Amino acid sequence: MDRAELDQALLKAHEDKDSAELVRLYTLAGDRAEEAGNIDAACFYLTHAFVFALEAGLPEATELNLRLAERGRAHPLEP
């Protein structure tokens, strides 16, 4: 999936209010930004993924929180 396809998929997931897909796609965008060395952009996307995961009660929230905490962008959540 190239960047344009990812952007379109994100728009569709927002339109559909598909939290699980939003978490997946924002995490993917964060992974790609991180691979490109753009930590600020990666954390931006991962924060979006984290918020959607929290709102939906998805288990991915724990891992996303840890990733953000490792980069100094969040405090680790209490178990």
Side-chain angles (χ1 to χ4, degrees):
M1 175 182 304
D2 68 20
R3 180 59 199 216
E5 292 170 327
L6 179 56
D7 288 344
Q8 287 301 313
L10 278 164
L11 290 172
K12 174 104 172 77
H14 275 287
E15 182 180 306
D16 294 344
K17 298 181 184 353
D18 186 342
S19 296
E21 186 68 353
L22 286 165
V23 171
R24 186 184 77 78
L25 293 169
Y26 276 117
T27 301
L28 176 61
D31 292 344
R32 289 185 178 177
E34 189 170 46
E35 289 168 6
N38 190 340
I39 299 305
D40 287 338
C43 289
F44 172 83
Y45 291 120
L46 294 174
T47 297
H48 279 71
F50 176 54
V51 169
F52 283 109
L54 280 176
E55 288 180 343
L58 298 174
E60 291 91 335
T62 301
E63 176 63 28
L64 290 161
N65 174 248
L66 291 174
R67 288 181 69 182
L68 290 164
E70 288 170 356
R71 289 153 186 85
R73 305 301 174 98
H75 293 285
L77 295 175
E78 297 292 321

